Amino acid sequence: MSTKAKFHLYRLFWLGAFATIVAVSAPTFGRPKSAVALEDFGRDGSVNSTLDQTLGEEKCAERITTWLEGLPPGRAILLVADANNNRAGVTADLIPYLAWPRPVIVSYDPQKAGREFAGARGRYCAVGFCYFMPPQGAPMSKSFGPALSFVAFDSQ
Amino acid sequence: MRIAGCLVAVVTLFLAGGGFTLACWRGTRSILLAELLGLGWMVGAGIVSLLLVLGGLAFSGPVLLCGVTALCLLLGLVGARKIQRGLRVEIGYADARPWEKWLGLLLLFPIFYIGYASFRDAMVFDGLINWEAKARHAFLAGGSLPASYFTDATRAAYHPRYPLYLPFSELWIYLWAGDCDQTLVKILFPIFYAAAILLLWSSVVRLTGRVWAATLTSLLPIAVPLMADHGFGLVQGYADFPLAAMYLAGIGALLAWRLKGLEAGWGVAVICAALLPWIKQDGILLLASLLAVAALVHGSSQWRRFVIFALPGIAIALFWRLAMHWVHAAGEPGFQPVTAGTLAQNLPRFGTIVRFMGDRLSTPRIWSLLWYWVPVALISLGWRQRRLALWLSVAVFLPLVLDIPAYLFTALDLQFHLNTSFDRLALQISLVTVLCLGLALARPPSAEPPHSAQPAEGT
């Protein structure tokens, strides 16, 4: 086989290799499939729109931030969230994000959360329940949609 | 005003990186425009983030913003002076045929697509709470992260020890825009992608001189699902793709220095190596891999030069480690003690880890057939250039080998840890694997036929 023929065969082989890579992924191009349900996140991907989406009300991020600013500074919040709910996970990730620099302890363990709640008054300034049924008789101070509510022990 | 501020942030960041790259450019060979743009962005993000960290120790607010901006402009001026003094910037099309030049226009497609995907998708998980959150917190604190951020045990799971290359690039946008605008900040992602594509293009052009092969190679990442918008990557605000781009730039420059006599390549590789551990902690493994390739490339006769090559990267890695030690940064949940006993106990994990790696890399919905072709490309290259094939094999496979101990000693559930991290670790070396395919495509097994194009400048 001549040098030129070898050269062209070689190039064709690698162009074919590139083509196989394109061909295999072509059916899924532009249609990403994520491990999580991206519909749980807001349309523009911001925290504002995501919380509006997960909590079902408008301007949640702004309202939560304002409410958190009214709590005594420095003291931590306990947030109890449903471990088996995607939206609870997304929301629970965003509360510490909004609450910074206030410490937020997120608990996905309902038994531990129940025990913590019993002795929470001295340790936390508020306890939040995210997609999680609060203990019966807990005096709810503030709700952000049906899925997130807080008990504040003392506000400024 | 926000958009105008964002544009100023982008331009100043590029001026800093472009100016620094030009200032460090050595030798008489010209710099390719694609190199200047790609390195300008990647290095600029490193410079601005480092300046914000160091400047933030003493200043905050407008003083910090003005100070860093002034330094960016100064670097830009230094670069401009270098061009005035005779350093040429070339497009790299000097020997390209007209159809090759037109082919280059196709590269706009993946860049625009990633731009569209970035604004379509949300920043999620790590992209938001590990990376962007640092930018937001620093913005709210006046431009720097207070020590309390690093010591807050309740946020230890959000990796406060992660370095600040990407978050403080985002902070730069916030500082100029005057708000934590999470939509606006996504402008960074397609620019990082464009920088990666330009660096891939210029690496292939430098190493082979074939513009058409460089263009086809640079189009390949958009056809690989994880390198485009499937899974958690650049468009979700993760730092792994910028890390991959920096690793590619370092390997490409090092090879161009050694194989093509590009004098400036050595300095560029040093800069890229230095910034690897500043992008992500995993960058230390890539730094180790790049240093291993550099050790082979330098050989025993140039060991002094190799030591100088290694120092900046090690210095930056140590700087951040010591800084985290000094502020008593909260520990990250993650690893069991590294002892012989733990190793013996966890050794049975080895098979699981290697099987998992093989399974994932051969899964078409994640990687298409990219990893199937990598060994073929390396064998093909090794047919005529054994040294090049050896160096590229180390660059591709050593990071994977170095990942294994992390999984052997993980304190997390092994399967969970593998599921949530391995794809991203592989993503960090993916651009170098594409470079292997590009080099294989461009290099014929025997002499060139009579009518082929001459190699472009730099080959």
Side-chain angles (χ1 to χ4, degrees):
Chain A
M1 193 185 290
S2 73
T3 304
K4 194 170 179 180
K6 275 186 196 170
F7 165 80
H8 285 307
L9 268 180
Y10 178 86
R11 286 277 157 82
L12 274 176
F13 173 80
W14 277 107
L15 287 172
F18 274 47
T20 60
I21 292 173
V22 175
V24 166
S25 60
T28 59
F29 184 79
R31 289 181 289 167
K33 209 170 190 178
S34 177
V36 295
L38 280 176
E39 61 268 24
D40 289 337
F41 295 87
R43 280 207 169 272
D44 65 1
S46 69
V47 169
N48 296 334
S49 64
T50 300
L51 278 177
D52 290 354
Q53 184 107 339
T54 60
L55 297 176
E57 285 193 1
E58 286 194 355
K59 295 193 175 174
C60 278
E62 201 179 307
R63 286 165 48 219
I64 291 170
T65 308
T66 309
W67 184 75
L68 290 170
E69 281 168 359
L71 295 171
R75 291 181 61 195
I77 292 172
L78 172 67
L79 185 67
V80 185
D82 183 355
N84 301 314
N85 186 318
N86 255 357
R87 293 192 166 204
V90 172
T91 311
D93 272 343
L94 295 182
I95 301 301
Y97 175 94
L98 290 175
W100 189 83
R102 182 187 303 282
V104 177
I105 294 160
V106 181
S107 176
Y108 291 99
D109 180 345
Q111 290 184 342
K112 187 180 161 201
R115 286 198 302 275
E116 291 259 9
F117 181 69
R121 182 172 286 274
R123 297 172 57 197
Y124 305 105
C125 64
V127 179
F129 299 93
C130 178
Y131 285 88
F132 193 90
M133 199 61 102
Q136 279 199 337
M140 288 300 132
S141 307
K142 187 74 183 173
S143 293
F144 301 93
L148 179 67
S149 46
F150 286 93
V151 178
F153 295 116
D154 39 15
S155 37
Q156 279 186 319
Chain B
M1 276 306 289
R2 282 185 188 193
I3 292 175
C6 176
L7 287 177
V8 174
V10 168
V11 170
T12 47
L13 191 147
F14 171 74
L15 279 178
F20 188 77
T21 304
L22 288 169
C24 295
W25 195 262
R26 293 285 173 265
T28 52
R29 303 267 283 274
S30 54
I31 186 170
L32 297 178
L33 182 62
E35 278 170 336
L36 178 59
L37 294 172
L39 288 170
W41 184 258
M42 297 302 300
V43 175
I47 290 172
V48 166
S49 55
L50 278 166
L51 286 175
L52 284 172
V53 168
L54 297 173
L57 296 173
F59 306 104
S60 65
V63 179
L64 178 66
L65 179 65
C66 292
V68 174
T69 304
L71 287 170
C72 290
L73 295 176
L74 186 68
L75 283 169
L77 278 176
V78 172
R81 285 292 300 275
K82 194 81 185 266
I83 291 175
Q84 275 181 343
R85 284 181 191 163
L87 173 58
R88 283 175 303 136
V89 182
E90 286 187 1
I91 295 179
Y93 277 177
D95 300 306
R97 288 159 285 193
W99 66 268
E100 289 183 288
K101 295 176 185 174
W102 286 107
L103 195 67
L105 285 177
L106 288 177
L107 290 178
L108 292 174
F109 165 70
I111 295 168
F112 281 120
Y113 179 75
I114 291 297
Y116 154 75
S118 297
F119 286 93
R120 177 197 63 198
D121 285 2
M123 276 192 282
V124 295
F125 300 125
D126 291 22
L128 185 69
I129 58 176
N130 289 352
W131 299 113
E132 192 273 343
K134 290 177 172 61
R136 174 190 160 92
H137 298 341
F139 175 80
L140 294 175
S144 61
L145 283 168
S148 59
Y149 171 79
F150 299 100
T151 55
D152 183 352
T154 67
R155 287 180 172 79
Y158 301 153
H159 300 287
R161 288 168 179 260
Y162 273 12
L164 300 172
Y165 175 93
L166 182 60
F168 273 34
S169 302
E170 294 171 341
L171 170 65
W172 188 237
I173 300 282
Y174 288 167
L175 287 172
W176 267 105
D179 195 8
C180 317
D181 190 327
Q182 293 176 322
T183 306
L184 198 59
V185 80
K186 290 178 178 184
I187 189 71
L188 289 179
F189 307 148
I191 303 179
F192 271 116
Y193 190 85
I197 293 304
L198 291 173
L199 289 169
L200 186 56
W201 186 89
S202 56
S203 293
V204 178
V205 169
R206 283 285 185 204
L207 291 168
T208 71
R210 292 180 177 81
V211 171
W212 65 269
T215 306
L216 290 182
T217 307
S218 305
L219 286 168
L220 206 54
I222 200 70
V224 177
L226 191 63
M227 297 176 82
D229 57 347
H230 291 236
F232 297 123
L234 186 62
V235 300
Q236 281 85 22
Y238 282 55
D240 303 281
F241 199 80
L243 187 57
M246 194 67 85
Y247 187 53
L248 163 80
I251 293 287
L254 189 65
L255 296 181
W257 168 67
R258 185 69 178 86
L259 297 174
K260 301 294 171 185
L262 180 67
E263 206 178 322
W266 189 84
V268 169
V270 171
I271 296 167
C272 294
L275 288 173
L276 286 171
W278 182 236
I279 299 177
K280 203 179 172 192
Q281 279 187 322
D282 311 348
I284 290 173
L285 299 183
L286 294 186
L287 172 64
S289 305
L290 182 51
L291 291 184
V293 178
L296 293 171
V297 164
H298 282 81
S300 56
S301 60
Q302 289 186 301
W303 68 270
R304 282 196 185 87
R305 192 163 190 167
F306 170 70
V307 171
I308 298 168
F309 184 97
L311 279 177
I314 294 171
I316 287 189
L318 277 177
F319 154 72
W320 189 243
R321 212 169 172 78
L322 285 174
M324 291 299 95
H325 179 72
W326 282 327
V327 297
H328 303 291
E332 290 170 12
F335 296 101
Q336 299 173 1
V338 182
T339 62
T342 322
L343 178 64
Q345 186 190 331
N346 292 345
L347 215 49
R349 290 177 169 190
F350 184 82
T352 311
I353 295 165
V354 173
R355 265 196 307 278
F356 184 91
M357 287 179 164
D359 284 349
R360 296 300 276 197
L361 295 178
S362 58
T363 302
R365 75 178 162 78
I366 302 172
W367 291 107
S368 186
L369 300 184
L370 177 68
W371 285 91
Y372 287 90
W373 287 112
V374 172
V376 184
L378 290 170
I379 291 167
S380 166
L381 286 171
W383 199 262
R384 281 172 60 85
Q385 282 205 283
R386 283 190 189 159
R387 284 183 314 165
L388 175 63
L390 172 68
W391 297 337
L392 284 171
S393 301
V394 173
V396 169
F397 294 112
L398 186 59
L400 293 176
V401 172
L402 293 177
D403 287 337
I404 292 175
Y407 293 118
L408 280 177
F409 289 99
T410 182
L412 304 171
D413 174 67
L414 177 62
Q415 204 59 44
F416 171 79
H417 198 175
L418 284 165
N419 280 335
T420 53
S421 65
F422 176 69
D423 291 341
R424 282 182 285 125
L425 292 176
L427 183 61
Q428 295 165 7
I429 45 174
S430 57
L431 283 169
V432 173
T433 64
V434 175
L435 175 67
C436 295
L437 267 63
L439 297 184
L441 169 69
R443 282 176 188 282
S446 54
E448 287 284 276
H451 300 299
S452 73
Q454 290 302 304
E457 190 276 331
T459 61

